[in-house]
Amino acid sequence: AFLRIMGGPDSQIINLSSGAGLRAARALSAIDRAALDGASDVASLRSTLAKLCVRAAAHPHGAGETPIYALSKAGVNSYTRLLARRVRVRVNACSPGFCRTEIAGTAADYSTREPKTPALGATVAVRLLFGEIGGGAATGTFFKESSKPGTPVAEAQSSVEPWED
């Protein structure tokens, strides 16, 4: 229903995703990846994701590994590409990168990887929204905030990350 009211020259959908989704999709078998990428509608995408999540949940994973999160972001990415093929508005996904946020909780372990500030991570979505990246015409593309932690927001760098290796 929401898509019916969109359609002006500046209309766009920006889905927030994660590089974890790209890595999860790349790690799938060719058959599973084809099913995910080739979904022709939301119902088939949902069915494929449900099967992949059930399978992933049945296998042990190490501490700090988040296979269901990664698959959910692979789903966001596949949904982005599906919409980009089907609607007449720009549809892209972006990742803020690893950021220090409240969602991680007070017990988050940042000892192995330095997080970015949320403000730095948000720059990719803001720049995409205002056409500063993607040329205002990109659709079906994955953008990431690619600055190192500690970079001043005014110097933030965003880049395109390919869906495939």
Side-chain angles (χ1 to χ4, degrees):
F2 184 70
L3 288 173
R4 283 186 238 140
I5 64 172
M6 295 182 71
D10 295 326
S11 296
Q12 64 180 312
I13 296 169
I14 301 171
N15 291 321
L16 289 179
S17 189
S18 169
L22 294 175
R23 291 185 296 277
R26 290 171 183 160
L28 293 173
S29 71
I31 292 170
D32 288 339
R33 192 168 180 182
L36 193 61
D37 289 342
S40 59
D41 56 38
V42 174
S44 63
L45 178 58
R46 184 183 310 122
S47 174
T48 299
L49 275 171
K51 290 174 189 172
L52 293 171
C53 287
V54 166
R55 194 177 324 143
H59 289 83
H61 56 276
E65 292 179 356
T66 54
I68 305 304
Y69 170 81
L71 285 170
S72 76
K73 292 303 185 174
V76 168
N77 295 342
S78 293
Y79 183 63
T80 299
R81 295 170 80 185
L82 173 66
L83 278 181
R85 291 190 304 265
R86 298 181 69 188
V87 300
R88 284 186 238 173
V89 300
R90 291 186 316 277
V91 185
N92 293 296
C94 66
S95 170
F98 182 59
C99 297
R100 181 182 302 274
T101 62
E102 291 179 16
I103 199 167
T106 56
D109 179 7
Y110 296 115
S111 64
T112 60
R113 189 170 166 205
E114 183 182 357
K116 300 174 187 181
T117 64
L120 181 59
T123 60
V124 66
V126 172
R127 289 181 171 168
L128 189 54
L129 176 66
F130 291 107
E132 295 173 25
I133 57 174
T139 192
T141 305
F142 186 94
F143 296 88
K144 70 177 185 175
E145 203 302 306
S146 48
S147 306
K148 294 187 184 311
T151 300
V153 170
E155 297 173 19
Q157 298 293 313
S158 301
S159 59
V160 172
E161 179 80 12
W163 297 112
E164 317 273 328
D165 285 339

